[in-house]
Amino acid sequence: MTELYGGVETGGTWCVCALGYGPDQIVAEQQFPTSAPAPTLARIAQFFEQYPGAAAIGIGSFGPVDLDLASPTWGHVTTTPKPGWQHVAVAGVIRDRLRVPVVFETDVSAAAVGEHRWGAGQGVTALCYLTVGTGIGGGLLFEGRPWHGLVHPEVGHLRVPHDRLRDPFEGSCSVHGDCWEGLASGHAIAERWRLAPEGLPSDHPAWELEAEYLALGILSIVMIASPQRVILGGGVMEQAPLLAMIRSRLRGLVAGYLETPLLGEGIDSYLVSPALGDRAGVLGAIALAREAVVFSPRGGAIT
Amino acid sequence: MTELYGGVETGGTWCVCALGYGPDQIVAEQQFPTSAPAPTLARIAQFFEQYPGAAAIGIGSFGPVDLDLASPTWGHVTTTPKPGWQHVAVAGVIRDRLRVPVVFETDVSAAAVGEHRWGAGQGVTALCYLTVGTGIGGGLLFEGRPWHGLVHPEVGHLRVPHDRLRDPFEGSCSVHGDCWEGLASGHAIAERWRLAPEGLPSDHPAWELEAEYLALGILSIVMIASPQRVILGGGVMEQAPLLAMIRSRLRGLVAGYLETPLLGEGIDSYLVSPALGDRAGVLGAIALAREAVVFSPRGGAIT
């Protein structure tokens, strides 16, 4: 067995911990609900005490998070709407308890890294990974590295056209109301139709509206970041006809403006499902830990 | 005098050519209207025949353009709505006539480079330059290099919320109708109010609507690309109160969600005017030419 690395995905709903080296070399893996911060972080630490040996641990966390290595609040979750999780130190607590180097990223950037190394984003220079679940999140990679700017992408909180005659729903985002996430997340679907997404039949009008909103948000990503591929994961995407409906609508919205078959007849290979499914985040976190130790990219990823 | 480089900005309305080394070292500069492709390209070539000596020429062109160095249509304008300019070879024609290396970029990425090297974007790792003129365009730089993905940013064609009760105008984009550019470009303002932007008094309701649309589009850029600074240029921005109105509205839209003073009380240093004014594009083109020769970044910028 090669050297071992830890991966943690702290999602809005579930936490996943794993110890291993890659998708086919996992020694231990555990999933549990994301509860309050203290018991959640304790449970993560217990996992790595029970399965020791990680040379470094990568953490992909729901956000917004502080990724600035020079900041006193590096490794914190910051202004999240998730109750109890505002201003919670995640990375430092794990590092100090386990005394192991920690690499900290957003959950969606970690998933993007996982798909880039082993999944549906292999060889793609400019890659976007989106997840549509309880919320909407997205990560961008350029040459395999997560994109950081002022903070990091928070795509769920952009605005898309909202036709209130067609859809009088006010939106479910506690901060912005009818932002993209407020209109198109799983939470928004459940509030609007008073039925969980998995309970809506595939011919329900909910799906046409959902495809419209998702295509509109993806259009903004295409026009701004111009990714070469968009991977679209998350629980809401498990509805069988949804991906095809979004592809068709996105193609209609672009309307031939950009001269590339990938936004026309080739859209099926542009807007794709994750290859690693639910495991993209935790595997990407392992990749981040592993590469930080091996390559120490940009000289500062390990603290 | 140091070595000389050429810069060309082919904008939707005006072309600018210059020969020099930097903002304070310009030997010759000329501006003329962008007419049909053949006479426009001939006039550019004549400029560099009249003022010879450029070791390389940078061209920043209105788009969409083909920036893929491996593509047979590298250096072409592709699907632009600008009459007569669809599928026009720009870079290759200049290179072949003048027998000099040519670096080809979008006009807005060239302007971003100019502002990054000598203007309002100095030292900014993740920079966005936007122009609101006849159309809306934007370029992104990371560590000073223009961002290329599937194509390049075409931010004018994302969608923003359009409240048809408040603004029944259908939008002016010939391809998308009420995309961002279709609602908020100078062309859209002129069509909606039947008055050119420069003819609208500063207390006209046009400006509040304009600030709303511009803030909504910039919000999408903030949430997707997370730039550390946004430079906002172009003729429409010359209306004195507009920048302050956009700053205020953008701050309201973010609503404290991202924990950074730059999107709150510090927004005046986040959303800023260009320092180089109209010259950002042509100076950035000179920088691209100069750096391609000096550093040959990524081994392929010169063809």
Side-chain angles (χ1 to χ4, degrees):
Chain A
M1 188 75 192
T2 47
E3 206 170 2
L4 292 174
Y5 296 92
V8 179
E9 184 187 353
T10 58
T13 310
W14 293 95
C15 263
V16 191
C17 298
L19 180 73
Y21 193 75
D24 304 321
Q25 298 143 296
I26 294 296
V27 174
E29 190 164 358
Q30 207 172 79
Q31 182 170 325
F32 47 87
T34 306
S35 58
T40 305
L41 295 175
R43 203 152 169 190
I44 292 167
Q46 283 155 16
F47 174 87
F48 290 106
E49 285 162 353
Q50 191 181 349
Y51 303 101
I57 294 176
I59 303 177
S61 169
F62 68 85
V65 293
D66 186 346
L67 302 174
D68 180 357
L69 292 162
S71 161
T73 56
W74 167 83
H76 288 217
V77 173
T78 59
T79 50
T80 179
K82 189 170 168 64
W85 279 86
Q86 291 85 9
H87 309 290
V88 167
V90 173
V93 168
I94 299 294
R95 177 192 60 192
D96 294 347
R97 177 151 167 186
L98 297 170
R99 297 182 178 275
V100 67
V102 163
V103 183
F104 190 64
E105 255 307 330
T106 65
D107 50 355
V108 279
S109 284
V113 166
E115 290 288 340
H116 181 267
R117 303 300 187 272
W118 297 302
Q122 291 178 66
V124 178
T125 304
L127 178 67
C128 177
Y129 175 92
L130 289 176
T131 179
V132 187
T134 313
I136 295 182
L140 290 171
L141 299 190
F142 188 71
E143 293 175 353
R145 284 196 338 207
W147 173 274
H148 300 171
L150 179 63
V151 281
H152 50 75
E154 267 293 324
V155 301
H157 300 273
L158 59 83
R159 306 287 169 108
V160 292
H162 175 196
D163 179 349
R164 287 174 185 268
L165 295 176
R166 178 178 177 190
D167 175 27
F169 179 59
E170 289 291 319
S172 67
C173 174
S174 62
V175 183
H176 305 117
D178 65 345
C179 63
W180 194 24
E181 173 169 302
L183 289 172
S185 63
H187 186 59
I189 295 173
E191 274 204 16
R192 179 189 291 109
W193 304 102
R194 302 187 185 285
L195 267 175
E198 55 275 22
L200 290 164
S202 62
D203 60 352
H204 193 283
W207 298 118
E208 201 183 315
L209 189 66
E210 181 69 7
E212 173 77 12
Y213 287 137
L214 292 180
L216 282 163
I218 295 167
L219 180 77
S220 287
I221 294 170
V222 168
M223 291 300 175
I224 293 169
S226 201
Q228 291 159 329
R229 189 172 299 161
V230 177
I231 301 174
L232 195 50
V236 169
M237 291 310 302
E238 283 162 23
Q239 292 295 322
L242 187 56
L243 181 60
M245 292 164 77
I246 301 166
R247 284 172 173 157
S248 164
R249 189 66 190 111
L250 178 63
R251 195 176 164 179
L253 286 166
V254 173
Y257 182 69
L258 293 171
E259 192 157 75
T260 161
L262 287 173
L263 292 168
E265 62 200 37
I267 199 149
D268 289 4
S269 55
Y270 183 74
L271 191 64
V272 303
S273 295
L276 305 177
D278 286 348
R279 300 179 78 209
V282 74
L283 289 169
I286 286 177
L288 286 165
R290 184 176 133 173
E291 294 165 12
V293 171
V294 177
F295 302 116
S296 195
R298 298 164 65 64
I302 298 186
T303 50
Chain B
M1 187 79 192
T2 46
E3 207 170 1
L4 293 174
Y5 297 93
V8 178
E9 184 188 353
T10 58
T13 310
W14 293 95
C15 262
V16 191
C17 298
L19 180 74
Y21 192 76
D24 304 320
Q25 297 144 297
I26 295 296
V27 174
E29 190 164 356
Q30 205 173 81
Q31 181 170 323
F32 46 86
T34 305
S35 58
T40 304
L41 296 174
R43 202 150 167 191
I44 293 167
Q46 283 155 16
F47 173 86
F48 290 105
E49 284 162 353
Q50 191 181 347
Y51 302 102
I57 294 175
I59 302 177
S61 170
F62 68 86
V65 292
D66 187 345
L67 301 175
D68 180 356
L69 293 161
S71 160
T73 55
W74 167 83
H76 288 215
V77 172
T78 58
T79 51
T80 180
K82 190 172 168 65
W85 279 86
Q86 292 83 9
H87 310 288
V88 167
V90 172
V93 167
I94 298 295
R95 178 192 59 193
D96 293 349
R97 175 148 166 189
L98 297 171
R99 298 180 178 276
V100 67
V102 163
V103 183
F104 189 65
E105 256 306 330
T106 64
D107 50 356
V108 279
S109 284
V113 167
E115 290 289 338
H116 181 267
R117 302 300 188 272
W118 297 301
Q122 292 178 66
V124 178
T125 304
L127 178 68
C128 178
Y129 176 93
L130 289 176
T131 180
V132 187
T134 313
I136 295 182
L140 290 171
L141 300 192
F142 189 70
E143 295 176 349
R145 286 195 336 207
W147 173 273
H148 301 171
L150 179 64
V151 280
H152 51 75
E154 268 294 323
V155 301
H157 299 274
L158 59 82
R159 305 287 169 111
V160 293
H162 175 197
D163 179 350
R164 287 174 185 269
L165 294 177
R166 178 178 177 190
D167 175 27
F169 178 59
E170 289 291 322
S172 66
C173 174
S174 62
V175 183
H176 304 117
D178 65 346
C179 63
W180 194 25
E181 173 170 302
L183 290 173
S185 64
H187 186 58
I189 295 173
E191 273 202 17
R192 179 190 291 110
W193 303 103
R194 301 189 186 285
L195 267 175
E198 56 274 21
L200 290 164
S202 61
D203 60 351
H204 193 285
W207 298 116
E208 202 183 314
L209 189 67
E210 182 69 7
E212 173 78 14
Y213 287 137
L214 292 180
L216 282 162
I218 294 169
L219 180 78
S220 287
I221 293 169
V222 168
M223 291 301 175
I224 293 169
S226 201
Q228 291 157 329
R229 189 172 298 159
V230 177
I231 301 173
L232 195 50
V236 170
M237 291 309 302
E238 284 163 22
Q239 292 296 320
L242 187 56
L243 180 60
M245 293 165 75
I246 300 165
R247 284 173 174 157
S248 164
R249 190 65 192 111
L250 178 62
R251 197 177 163 178
L253 286 166
V254 172
Y257 182 70
L258 293 170
E259 191 157 76
T260 162
L262 287 173
L263 292 169
E265 62 199 37
I267 198 148
D268 290 3
S269 55
Y270 183 73
L271 192 64
V272 303
S273 296
L276 305 176
D278 286 350
R279 300 178 80 206
V282 73
L283 289 169
I286 285 177
L288 287 164
R290 186 176 131 172
E291 293 164 12
V293 170
V294 177
F295 303 117
S296 197
R298 299 161 68 63
I302 298 186
T303 48

